[in-house]
Amino acid sequence: MSVNELEQLRMKLDNVNLQILELVNLRAAIVQQIGQLKNKQGMKKFDPVREREMLNHLIQHNNGPFENSTIEHIFKEIFKAGLELIEDDDKKELLV
Amino acid sequence: MSVNELEQLRMKLDNVNLQILELVNLRAAIVQQIGQLKNKQGMKKFDPVREREMLNHLIQHNNGPFENSTIEHIFKEIFKAGLELIEDDDKKELLV
């Protein structure tokens, strides 16, 4: 039955969505830790060289179906969100 | 040693990046299967109600550190990329 087939694929998708959610938040938590460490050492938060390295690493490991350009686009959004998160953390710290 | 600590966190991050990459591509492959099924059934590809349901489901399960609005933003980009992928598949099929 095709409806069942669609339902099954949607359930798979929901499951993968939740796994991505968990990893994206785990990533954000690691970025926060890195932000705190960089604060201690007076290091800049945004490191374009490191960001480019991460993107290249991802593209090397990209087996599709997404094109490299799509992978870059999605990860740039994830990186940006991570950077905004630690900038917010810094602002909160200043207000304490 | 702080440098080692930073290196360790970066290795963790690289590892999580690769896991996200794998899941994002797995998601794309499932979306392609759904697209093919919808083609057979003459169903529309973009279903805003289903997209909203997926976002609500994700927000219900979001334990941070990312805010719900950030999770929505990231996933909307992932959804959009999936939709573009199956639209490209359709175009290729028309050209065959």
Side-chain angles (χ1 to χ4, degrees):
Chain A
M1 258 292 280
S2 297
V3 176
N4 278 347
E5 210 179 323
L6 184 60
E7 274 313 303
Q8 273 173 19
L9 288 170
R10 284 181 163 174
M11 278 166 64
K12 266 196 201 176
L13 207 63
D14 284 336
N15 186 273
V16 174
N17 282 345
L18 289 180
Q19 288 181 62
I20 295 172
L21 172 68
E22 204 161 310
L23 284 171
V24 160
N25 272 324
L26 173 60
R27 190 186 189 284
I30 298 169
V31 167
Q32 284 183 313
Q33 284 178 276
I34 291 176
Q36 285 165 9
L37 202 64
K38 284 187 168 179
N39 265 348
K40 276 193 217 160
Q41 304 183 346
M43 287 167 76
K44 268 194 191 169
K45 298 295 159 56
F46 177 57
D47 180 348
V49 176
R50 164 77 179 147
E51 187 165 299
R52 190 62 255 169
E53 281 171 1
M54 285 193 290
L55 290 171
N56 290 345
H57 190 234
L58 285 161
I59 284 168
Q60 275 168 17
H61 288 81
N62 180 30
N63 298 314
F66 274 141
E67 303 275 350
N68 291 342
S69 57
T70 308
I71 292 300
E72 271 212 35
H73 174 73
I74 291 171
F75 273 89
K76 276 183 183 170
E77 291 297 323
I78 295 173
F79 294 172
K80 191 154 62 82
L83 200 64
E84 283 166 6
L85 185 70
I86 54 176
E87 279 167 359
D88 284 350
D89 285 350
D90 287 352
K91 273 182 212 152
K92 278 178 204 151
E93 223 160 271
L94 285 173
L95 290 172
V96 169
Chain B
M1 257 291 277
S2 298
V3 176
N4 277 349
E5 209 178 325
L6 183 60
E7 273 313 305
Q8 273 174 16
L9 288 170
R10 282 180 163 175
M11 278 167 64
K12 266 195 200 178
L13 206 64
D14 284 336
N15 187 274
V16 174
N17 282 346
L18 289 180
Q19 289 182 61
I20 296 172
L21 172 68
E22 204 162 310
L23 285 170
V24 160
N25 272 324
L26 173 60
R27 190 186 189 283
I30 299 169
V31 167
Q32 283 183 314
Q33 284 179 274
I34 292 175
Q36 284 164 10
L37 203 64
K38 285 188 168 180
N39 266 348
K40 277 192 214 161
Q41 305 183 344
M43 287 168 76
K44 269 195 189 165
K45 298 294 159 55
F46 177 57
D47 181 347
V49 175
R50 164 76 180 146
E51 187 165 298
R52 190 62 253 168
E53 280 171 3
M54 285 193 291
L55 289 171
N56 290 346
H57 191 233
L58 285 161
I59 284 167
Q60 274 168 19
H61 289 82
N62 180 31
N63 298 315
F66 275 141
E67 303 275 349
N68 290 342
S69 58
T70 308
I71 292 300
E72 271 211 35
H73 174 72
I74 291 171
F75 273 89
K76 276 184 183 170
E77 292 297 323
I78 295 173
F79 294 172
K80 190 155 62 82
L83 201 64
E84 282 166 5
L85 185 70
I86 54 176
E87 279 167 359
D88 284 350
D89 285 350
D90 287 351
K91 274 182 210 149
K92 279 177 202 151
E93 225 160 87
L94 284 173
L95 292 171
V96 169

